[in-house]
Amino acid sequence: MGKSTGFLEVKRQEPQMRAPQERVKDFKEHYLPFGDFAGDQASRCMDCGVPFCNSGCPLGNRIPEFNDAVYRGNFREAFEVLRTTNNFPEFTGRICPAPCESSCVLGINDSPVTIEFIEKEISERAWNEGWIVPKLPVIRTGKSVAIIGSGPAGMAAADQLNQFGHRVKVFERDSRVGGLLTFGIPDYKLEKHVVSRRAAIMEEEGVVFQCNTEIGTDITLDELRESFDAVLISIGSKEPRDVGVKGRQSKGVHFAMDFLHNNNQIIAGENHGNEEFSTKGKKVLVLGGGDTGSDCIGTSIRNGAKEVIQVTIEEQPPEERTDQNPWPEWPKILKTSSSHEEGCTRIWGLNATAFNSNEGGELVSVSFDEVRGEEFNGRWQYVPTGKKQTISCDMAILAIGFKHPEYNGLIADSGLKTDIRGNVAATDFQTNFEGVFTAGDARRGQSLVVWAIAEGRQAAEKINKSLSS
Amino acid sequence: MSNHFSDLSKKNKEYSGLYHPSFEHDSCGIGFVANLNGKQERKIVEGAITMLENMEHRGGQGAEPNSGDGAGILVQIPHSFLSKSLQRSGLVLPLEGSYGVGNTFFPKEKSLQRKCITELEKYITNFKLRLIGYRNIPVNNSSLGKSAKDTEPDHIQFFVSPLDDLDQNTLERKLVVLRKYANRTIHQLFPDTYDSFYISSLSSKTLIYKGQLTTAQLKTYFLDLQEKEFKSALALVHSRFSTNTTPKWKLAQPFRYIAHNGEINTIAGNVNGMSSKTALFKDSLFTEQELELVHPICDVRRSDSSNLDNVVEILTASGRSLPHAMMMLVPEAYENDTNMSAEKKSFYKYHAHLMEAWDGPASLSFTDGEIVGAILDRNGLRPSRYTLTKDGMVIMSSEAGSLPVEPLNVLRKGRLEPGKMFVADLKQGRIITDEEIKDQICKARPYEKWLLEGEVDINTLPAVSEKAHGKSTYEERLRFHGYTKEEIERVLLPMFVEGKEAMGSMGADNPIAALSEQPQHLSHYFRQRFAQVSNPPIDSIRERSVMSLTTLLGRTRNVLDATSLHCQKIRLEQPVLSNADIQKLRNISIEGFSVHQIETLFYADNPQSGLENAIKSICKEADFAVKSGNNLLILSDRNADKNRVAIPALLAVGAIHHYLIKQGVRSNVSLIVESGDTRTTHHFATLFGYGANAVNPYMVYDILRHSVKNNRLEKDSDKDYLSSYFKYVNNYKEAIGNGLLKIFAKMGISTFESYQGAQIFEPIGISNRVIESCFNGSVSRISGLDFEHIAKEQLDKLTEAISQSQHPLPYGGVYHWRIDGEYHHMNPKTITSLQRACREGSYEHFKTYSNLLDGNGRSLRHLLEFKQRPSIPLDEVEEVKFILKRFATGAMSFGSISHEAHSTLAIAMNRIGAKSNSGEGGEDEIRFGIKKDGDSENSAIKQIASGRFGVTINYLTNAVELQIKMAQGAKPGEGGHLPGHKVDDWIGRVRHSTPGVGLISPPPHHDIYSIEDLAQLIHDLKRANPKARVSVKLVSLAGVGTIAAGVVKAKADTVLISGMDGGTGASPLSSIQHAGVPWELGLAEAHQTLVQSRLRDRVLLQTDGMIRTGRDLAIATLLGAEEWGVATAALIAEGCVMMRKCHLNTCPVGIATQNPELRKLFSGKPEHVINMFTFMAMELREIMAELGFRTIEEMIGQSYILKQNQKAGNWKSGLLDLAPLLLYSNWSKSIKGIPAQPIPNTTLDNRLIEAVHTYKESLIPAEYVFDILNTDRSTGTLASHEVAKWRGSAGLPNKALQFNFRGSAGQSFGAFGSKGLFLNLIGESNDYTGKGLSGAQIVIRKPSNANVMAHENIICGNVALYGATSGELYVNGIAGERFCVRNSGASAVAEGVGDHALEYMTGGEAIILGKVGKNFGAGMSGGIGYVYDYEGTFLSKFNSDSADVEVPSTSDLVHLKSRIQEHVKYTDSELGNQIIRNWETAKTSFVKIFPRDFKRVLEAKESMEAYG
């Protein structure tokens, strides 16, 4: 399989990105297509005896096989391989942090294979060539499933269950399908037509999406259980983590998801947005160093922010893996996202202690303690060094993670049990109610899209099994 | 001689452990002496006994030195001696030749003896014979050992004469019938007499004295043999070396017609074949009633030699001459021989229709009392040397010089050549040559005409359109038959494209079929058997000329007769049928052929008994079809669908094959299989091994068609789909054909017809019930699946097919790991945790690793658990540092892995006092010393493998252990090939070869074709380094215990039982997956067998093969191992990530690569490796504390601590019965000293050593003279060791010590001779002359008073200069087969050579001044050969696959002339002199043999130099 000496001959090359000064002018996708390089890049795959990528990928994507097919120029075959494990390669090909690549064996001594870009190239070819067409289930079982939440977990479960022959209806609180894919992730990473074209195919295949309907409010869980043979709760983990410090109520302090949601609504043409989220001419402080933080940076810049500063509680990570963080673990190294390239200052080791406002209650600055990470009784914690800092700003966005699913409505009123971390409690994806299942962030807590798809697929297997027995 | 497979189903119950008597092998020395003029003389008998005594070293002894493995003699009836002896008791013998004498073993117990006698007398009367009387054969048993004495029978002669006047041949036939009937009936009546009642001989012509004796005991035991009046014109002797030690008087040889040295590998198939042939017996000489009485001709419980003897007997008694019978049973390699006459070829082709070859190494001596002769099988893997004397004696024996003859009296000295026969007719008083006798026989009947009339070539049958499938889709069919994407991609596509099997590396770390969770192909429960020690594998590529795939379909007829109808069969070039082929057969409309098709399907709705019922019904259908006259049966599963499931093809074939055998009609029909589940070489091999005659793998062609249509495979042109399709079909058939040949060859079998039905497999995980009905005779030791379970696996595939039909095929993950595929012990989690443990020195991570492995239920050892025992505190257990010394790393050569990876292991092992292994590639001498930092890169274990790369006297001298690699876990029975691109300057130097030139390791060691040969190699190595212990590496399989016993008797100090799953080298995928068995079985069997035969105390047992955790060590120790080898895990510790790319040189972590850029990436440290071994030892200590063992010593072999855990594993593992594994023998460790079995020096050895010491003190060159005998073996090797100790590889100045010898040198004359020694032998030498020559000079010249032409006589045995690295050899006469095999540096001159000369040569030079044998230069990749081709016949003997023939250049001729002058100087060669005298004419007759690989490298070098 593949080309045995490819990795010795070809270096890693990623597809080109539009230049930062260009791309910040709009919300269009920042990567250019891979083009003809895909085959060359795929030839770097070593067809490992133990492909760690295959275990690194939560979906178990058959990476060496699609690499081989791409190397041979057979994208059709590559796509058939890819679709067996991944319902939505067009999503993961764009926004997955690619744990496969961090476990790629070539990464031990070289740069890993560009697995994610190859994946995207395969899926885009599949869409462009018309290989993705509605595929009606062969049989209909007569069973029905309700899915609450149309994020990646819900969509993956819906796709699977529909193909098993069950009738599937997906309930979405928002106006559009996709969950965080649609209203969380900025368009420059994932343009929304990518989500909608997939939803359209699924609809043609028989999946029904019902938007603007909130379960727990519009319809109760009990009602759903009566009308459907099974219910899947895939509502994500949207309850944001907060900072409980002085001045939190100041005007101009926002949760990241509210900020991003507002912006995505504007891009989608849903409305003109809420003026208080506008970053035009403002100095924006983003608290939190993860992907959501980056999304806030890129969005702020595109919306005309004067200056963007990102503050992270952790110390600056090393440039390369340390001995304590060996391959094939997830590399805890300094990552520079596309947003960072677009103009942003990064400050490490600061913990917010107060949001300072003017008389009008408007945020003017944030005070910080300088901190240092330490292990204490086996737990990691941040200890003040004694130094302090205050950074002036017009807006602060909190992107420091999510606690658990939102409780009000569905969970609070139905008697669904939660686990110790606050997620919906489940054994083998089944909640404390028979026939009610849960998957995705709602079950496992805040995580990656690829995990959500994997969860959706696994839950679908379980639901199918319970419906067949 | 062996019984591979006994009627185990019944016998198994008698043996509770893993040992089974059917595993026994033996091997030997044979010979005969005869008077050509037929005169009965005393000197013949005495000569034969002397010869026998001089071959003592070819025989074996048991636990006691005075219990031999067996010796015997066959003579003509000494009429006058017997007459006189009988006169004393008042009995009168009739005329010579008109009465029969029966030499018989009777039970010692008197009442039983009387019963036997009463019965015997009854039969004598019934057969219309008169009992003349009895004579007690006088014996003196005082010299016998205990075990021989315990089973000693009474030896009684009885004498009978016919009531009617009968001619002698009729009388002989009557005696045959009486003997066979009496033997059989008495054994049936009194089962206790099975071993104690035995008629050694009953004939009017010959008499046999034999028993459980050493060669020296034969004469002292049988007093008759000492009598002056005891005379004969011929005497045939045999000394036996057996792997077993259970005394069996009757297994001694000779038998009535033959004495056999070697082993019939195809015995199971031959015996099954004979049993159905017997049913067809009809004869004009025997009456029908007589034929009834002689049944059965063959019996699985007897040895292969004994069965062969019985077949020879029936063929000759029914009218064929003895040579004719031998030609039928041991045919020459005729298929690919273009020089053979049409008549002879027709003879062999014709007789193939009657009888499959009894295949395997065989040197057979035969006699009927009137002629005496010998024949060598097609491979010629046994030495047979003869001497004719001027006074009319014929002497033939395994060794030259075993019966010394005055040089003046020698008329001719020769050797038996492969496939050739030699007959002395004592009536005619002359030698009949091979050509004459065969010519006579071949022309006696019109075989060629008969073939033209009877045989049908499948290619001449009319084409018919292909058959359509039943009601199923392609996708469904793939799933019904369990195909995976991986099999298509990794196994089938490479065969379609390349025409050969794909390679893999890093062994198999997936579970055996019985422990896998995935539904299995039934064939995967059957492990391929292979040859090791007791017989040699063959090189099916380089020795293709002896191999054949010819297949004959149709009915076999009465073998006692011969007519044109006998060859009315369809001839196929090979047994893999295309769709067109099977259609032709299905629709055949030629008179004499009739086809019946059986649907091999069962109903899915009855999982419990559906399969078994279906099996019963197809067996009955087959029987009925055959009895109604059909002679071709097609077993087809083409119509499988959702309701009717395919019976696994192997099960269907096996069931019908064995049912038809039981019904006595198997020979009437050929079984043709049309099977969807057959795809890999292994699948084909199992089908053929269990009875299929031809197979059509229709699904493979389906897949092929799809692949071409879907552009997965290239098309020649867009329009022409069919031509591409047929090209790929042919590639596939070729790949399977070559793969099958390799599988045959690894067992030492040459032809398809012999392999067919030979059952060369070990089933693991199949119940005895299934074995009995479908695979009867195979040894299944731990039981397993019954019919219903086999059905379940088929039905699981069906369920999968229905439920998953929408999805692409599952991947499989057997060859490469996949998250949703087959389990692998080495997976991302285990690799990661082990590497972290080793790098960070974290025992915690190691625990994570071992917990992942220990509980997984995927190895046999995981089905075992420890019993509760009082535990002890951890600190009472012996310390880690002592345990560490018991570790060894696996054999991985420098060449297969990088210098960095190799030396890191060595440093680590040396630091902890354990042993690293050089592997088979030699070792750089700079590593022998201590480094500046105190570390040592010297590998304690130096391996001696078949390629002998870099095996010099200095290499051997610098070892702590010398390991003979008999087989390798990943590919037992196969050779290796290091491609030229991996041989860089460094590796080339270390291997003593030319960089850039590819290096082949032959499948067999060319100096080990049998157990006595191994004993000789061990002897050589103990001479080359007396302090080193000698270890023999065997691969686990049923019977490895008896092999181990033989190896211990051959004086090995350590036996390594290697599991099937280890192995890091490159091998064909089917070998990685399907050959050998887990170490648990082999180790336990070896331990049990050795304890039982009282040999365990002489040897250390070591085991390896995926040993990974402390628990693995504990179980290995409890099953009998005192040491453990670890290879794969050690590589992982230093960075290996199981890429399985070793064979591609692209290892991305710098381990299995020679690419300098990749080598830089190696990041392993000795500390990492030490960490792993330390953690393993720590874990073991914890278990020891828990079980209450303070030391490893007290833990070894204590298997009663273990019990089977019924809950572990999957649904199938509960069906296994591991009790035989756990059989406990009360034994505790008492071995003393290393090496455990030292070999004392002989006087000659000591005198040579003295000479070295004298030189060391004086530095004055000296010359000595000695007499030498064939019992003086490895002469000069000890002295060379002394030189190497002192001077390393530099040796001494040229001719510092000249030793002149007179006489016949024993084997391995001058082996590993150091530079500076000059060994001048006047006389002759035996096999392995100059083996491993390391700079010494050897001259072998005829005695000046011998009045023969040197170049027409043999003077040097087989396999001279094997693996020589430097030095010179001058042979004043002909040398035997395989002259200069794998020579890599020595320079030789000989005046004629046998077959396969210069095979695999990689360097050095060979000048042959006379005739050469077949297959000259096969696999030659380096060095130069010159042949004086004055008859112009050289080209017909030359194998042109890897070398070219050129005209020598002017400078070549200058060099040649000086070399020949040198030869003349040393040997006084007449031929050499002649050539030099007529140089201007003679020089034009020389040809130069130039290997292409070598030439390419030389030219590249020249052009490099030219360009500066």
Side-chain angles (χ1 to χ4, degrees), chain B residues 718-734:
Chain B
D718 277 350
K719 283 177 200 155
D720 193 5
Y721 146 81
L722 270 183
S723 81
S724 311
Y725 170 77
F726 286 123
K727 179 184 79 189
Y728 291 128
V729 168
N730 286 336
N731 281 352
Y732 175 75
K733 285 168 71 173
E734 190 179 326

Side-chain angles (χ1 to χ4, degrees), chain B residues 595-832:
Chain B
V595 190
H596 177 77
Q597 177 159 327
I598 296 177
E599 304 248 13
T600 53
L601 305 171
F602 71 103
Y603 283 97
D605 54 8
N606 186 355
Q608 287 297 320
S609 54
L611 178 60
E612 196 173 359
N613 291 341
I615 292 279
K616 281 181 189 152
S617 98
I618 59 171
C619 286
K620 292 220 173 86
E621 184 182 345
D623 185 41
F624 182 77
V626 176
K627 285 176 180 156
S628 348
N630 292 294
N631 51 19
L632 299 172
L633 281 188
I634 295 180
L635 318 182
S636 175
D637 60 19
R638 261 209 190 227
N639 290 328
D641 57 30
K642 287 170 189 164
N643 304 313
R644 294 209 300 163
V645 186
I647 300 173
L650 176 59
L651 195 71
V653 166
I656 290 177
H657 175 68
H658 280 284
Y659 190 81
L660 297 181
I661 289 174
K662 277 181 206 142
Q663 299 300 314
V665 295
R666 178 64 185 88
S667 293
N668 298 11
V669 70
S670 283
L671 301 180
I672 298 155
V673 181
E674 184 175 41
S675 143
D677 70 3
T678 305
R679 45 204 183 254
T680 69
T681 51
H682 178 72
H683 299 159
F684 283 96
T686 52
L687 289 178
F688 295 134
Y690 285 105
N693 295 83
V695 176
N696 165 254
Y698 64 86
M699 276 309 294
V700 171
Y701 304 132
D702 258 20
I703 291 169
L704 175 50
R705 202 175 299 114
H706 271 80
S707 303
V708 177
K709 282 195 168 153
N710 298 336
N711 294 318
R712 181 64 184 86
L713 285 171
E714 274 175 40
K715 282 193 265 268
D716 288 344
S717 71
D718 277 350
K719 283 177 200 155
D720 193 5
Y721 146 81
L722 270 183
S723 81
S724 311
Y725 170 77
F726 286 123
K727 179 184 79 189
Y728 291 128
V729 168
N730 286 336
N731 281 352
Y732 175 75
K733 285 168 71 173
E734 190 179 326
I736 295 293
N738 288 333
L740 285 170
L741 289 178
K742 187 168 240 185
I743 292 172
F744 304 169
K746 77 172 78 164
M747 192 60 205
I749 295 172
S750 315
T751 70
F752 172 76
E753 289 282 305
S754 304
Y755 184 82
Q756 194 269 332
Q759 309 198 150
I760 315 277
F761 295 92
E762 179 179 353
I764 295 187
I766 300 291
S767 71
N768 287 336
R769 231 164 68 81
V770 173
I771 297 282
E772 266 171 51
S773 56
C774 305
F775 311 107
N776 194 23
S778 289
V779 178
S780 170
R781 296 181 291 175
I782 53 172
S783 195
L785 274 63
D786 208 334
F787 290 104
E788 55 179 297
H789 309 117
I790 296 172
K792 177 179 152 46
E793 292 215 307
Q794 286 301 88
L795 292 170
D796 284 350
K797 290 174 201 163
L798 178 73
T799 315
E800 170 93 5
I802 295 167
S803 70
Q804 299 291 309
S805 59
Q806 292 298 301
H807 298 271
L809 275 189
Y811 184 77
V814 171
Y815 302 98
H816 277 198
W817 180 88
R818 285 295 185 269
I819 196 159
D820 54 352
E822 179 57 278
Y823 174 83
H824 285 256
H825 294 294
M826 289 308 174
N827 56 49
K829 283 191 179 129
T830 50
I831 293 172
T832 308

